[in-house]
């Protein structure tokens, strides 16, 4: 499946502006043959927007989800995007996957909140593995800091995730996560990992870009620079099956030795 990574911080504070950016990117991705477009963490509203996070938060099936479903259906491309999700009094840092026919396939709430900023504005999610079937691949979702916990990604591997989508807001000086950690996660868990970042200065944060689609062989199939960019690469189920046969990490595990970890 050709996968497009939208590296952009959009228009922080403007839902309407970000929907326009997503619409334009979806058109470009579809024209390039992509079946899936992935946008960064909190793309719908912006990340460093303080109390506007709570003001702009929406339900998973809210007006913006309807607008994004219309964009997906019009361009014929599945969309994954980050947004602040309101559920009752709680606000979650969430990511949602919508199919090319406009159906809501999966909604994930970030389980590991990074730093004082996120802990002040969000409630942590409690469901570590969220998946959906898309074009013959089992697609999983997590968000940014979540991928830095090896147990999280291994849980996806054990649940059969083929392509892990990771909308992110990766900031300086932690660019080694994009450069090194993400390809290693893909290799050690024998999956594709689409790590899609914001870019540029936003409030106190300096986002580093470097979005990547890493393959199960640990090789970056696509790598963005630091500027706004749309990059494309293929998640190939044939290569995935061959890589899993050649690298039997999951089959060679000895879970009885790891009980002390939990």
């Amino acid at each position: 499946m050709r996968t497009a990574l939208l590296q952009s911080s959009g228009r922080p504070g403007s839902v309407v502006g970000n929907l326009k950016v997503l619409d334009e990117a979806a058109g470009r991705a579809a024209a390039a043959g992509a079946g899936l477009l992935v946008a960064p963490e909190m793309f719908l509203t912006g990340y460093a927007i303080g109390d506007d996070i709570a003001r702009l938060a929406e339900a998973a099936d809210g007006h913006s989800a309807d607008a994004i479903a219309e964009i997906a259906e019009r361009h014929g491309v599945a969309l994954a995007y980050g947004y602040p999700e309101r559920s009752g009094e709680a606000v979650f840092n969430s990511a949602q996957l919508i199919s090319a026919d406009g159906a809501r396939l999966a909604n994930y709430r970030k389980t590991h909140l990074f730093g004082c900023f996120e802990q002040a504005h969000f409630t942590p999610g409690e469901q570590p593995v969220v998946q959906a079937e898309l074009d013959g691949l089992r697609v999983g979702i997590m968000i940014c800091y979540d991928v830095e916990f090896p147990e999280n990604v291994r849980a996806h591997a054990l649940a059969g995730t083929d392509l892990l989508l990771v909308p992110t807001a990766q900031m300086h000086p932690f660019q080694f996560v994009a450069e090194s950690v993400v390809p290693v996660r893909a290799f050690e868990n024998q999956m594709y990992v689409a790590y899609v970042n914001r870019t540029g200065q936003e409030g106190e944060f300096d986002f580093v870009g470097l979005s990547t689609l890493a393959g199960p062989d640990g090789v970056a199939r696509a790598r963005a620079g630091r500027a706004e960019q749309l990059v494309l690469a293929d998640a190939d189920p044939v290569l995935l099956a061959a890589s899993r046969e050649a690298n039997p990490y999951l089959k060679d595990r000895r879970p009885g030795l790891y009980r002390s970890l939990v």
Side-chain angles (χ1 to χ4, degrees), residues 236-257:
D236 181 358
V238 174
L239 185 147
L240 181 60
S243 182
R244 287 173 170 172
E245 183 65 29
N247 299 284
Y249 281 132
L250 300 184
K251 288 187 283 187
D252 290 345
R253 293 171 66 249
R254 297 179 61 194
L257 300 180

Side-chain angles (χ1 to χ4, degrees), residues 170-222:
Q170 180 64 68
M171 58 199 70
H172 178 80
F174 306 110
Q175 49 265 35
F176 66 89
V177 174
E179 294 169 339
S180 301
V181 173
V182 169
V184 169
R185 289 286 179 270
F187 178 70
E188 68 189 4
N189 291 288
Q190 289 299 293
M191 63 174 60
Y192 285 93
V193 179
Y195 188 78
V196 188
N197 200 9
R198 305 179 70 83
T199 186
Q201 196 74 33
E202 190 178 332
E204 64 184 288
F205 305 111
D206 181 15
F207 299 115
V208 300
L210 303 175
S211 300
T212 187
L213 180 68
D217 53 3
V219 174
R221 293 298 187 279

Side-chain angles (χ1 to χ4, degrees), residues 129-152:
V129 176
V130 172
Q131 299 170 309
E133 299 297 322
L134 185 67
D135 292 349
L137 292 175
R138 184 169 295 181
V139 176
I141 310 173
M142 60 177 54
I143 299 174
C144 197
Y145 193 40
D146 291 329
V147 81
E148 297 176 41
F149 293 81
E151 302 90 344
N152 262 16

Side-chain angles (χ1 to χ4, degrees), residues 104-150:
R104 293 176 52 243
L105 296 181
N107 188 69
Y108 171 78
R109 296 168 173 174
K110 189 173 186 178
T111 55
H112 295 75
L113 301 179
F114 179 77
C116 297
F117 178 82
E118 290 191 8
Q119 291 168 13
H121 290 284
F122 298 109
T123 297
E126 297 295 334
Q127 187 174 353
V129 176
V130 172
Q131 299 170 309
E133 299 297 322
L134 185 67
D135 292 349
L137 292 175
R138 184 169 295 181
V139 176
I141 310 173
M142 60 177 54
I143 299 174
C144 197
Y145 193 40
D146 291 329
V147 81
E148 297 176 41
F149 293 81

